[in-house]
Amino acid sequence: YNEQSRIAKAKERGQLFEMYGHTCARCGFTDKRALTLDHKLNNGSEERRKIGERGVYRKAKAQHLPDEYQTLCMNCQFIKRVELRPL
């Protein structure tokens, strides 16, 4: 079961990269091992709490919402998180 789940998640991620791009929207990084689906509206934790991580992937894939999601590398993801913190 765990192997099947890992394979299904990897396939889903590949499909998301096809839809939202194979490069980081901020810096252009292309190594897929470090690319993630980012919530442009900064509501990722809330959405994952409601529908789960796989639910977010399914929603992003089924509805193709480029105004809500983008591809970011982990470095840019962490930089964005720091930029959004209140001082």
Side-chain angles (χ1 to χ4, degrees):
Y1 173 80
N2 287 338
E3 181 67 13
Q4 284 178 326
S5 180
R6 186 188 64 74
I7 291 169
K9 186 175 178 180
K11 182 179 176 182
E12 226 164 26
R13 280 177 47 90
Q15 292 168 338
L16 287 170
F17 291 143
E18 289 296 321
M19 294 175 77
Y20 293 96
H22 294 273
T23 61
C24 176
R26 289 182 92 173
C27 74
F29 189 75
T30 59
D31 189 332
K32 288 182 181 71
R33 296 174 296 177
L35 293 178
T36 63
L37 184 67
D38 175 64
H39 290 75
K40 286 183 172 182
L41 305 176
N42 305 314
N43 62 339
S45 60
E46 177 185 326
E47 189 171 49
R48 280 188 302 277
R49 212 175 308 114
K50 286 181 183 177
I51 61 176
E53 181 180 350
R54 294 281 295 277
V56 171
Y57 282 1
R58 287 185 191 109
K59 176 186 170 189
K61 191 173 73 172
Q63 298 179 23
H64 190 249
L65 302 164
D67 291 335
E68 292 185 31
Y69 302 105
Q70 65 184 345
T71 302
L72 287 185
C73 69
M74 290 305 295
N75 282 340
C76 288
Q77 186 83 271
F78 284 114
I79 291 168
K80 178 181 171 188
R81 190 178 303 165
V82 169
E83 290 172 348
L84 293 171
R85 281 189 198 142
L87 297 176

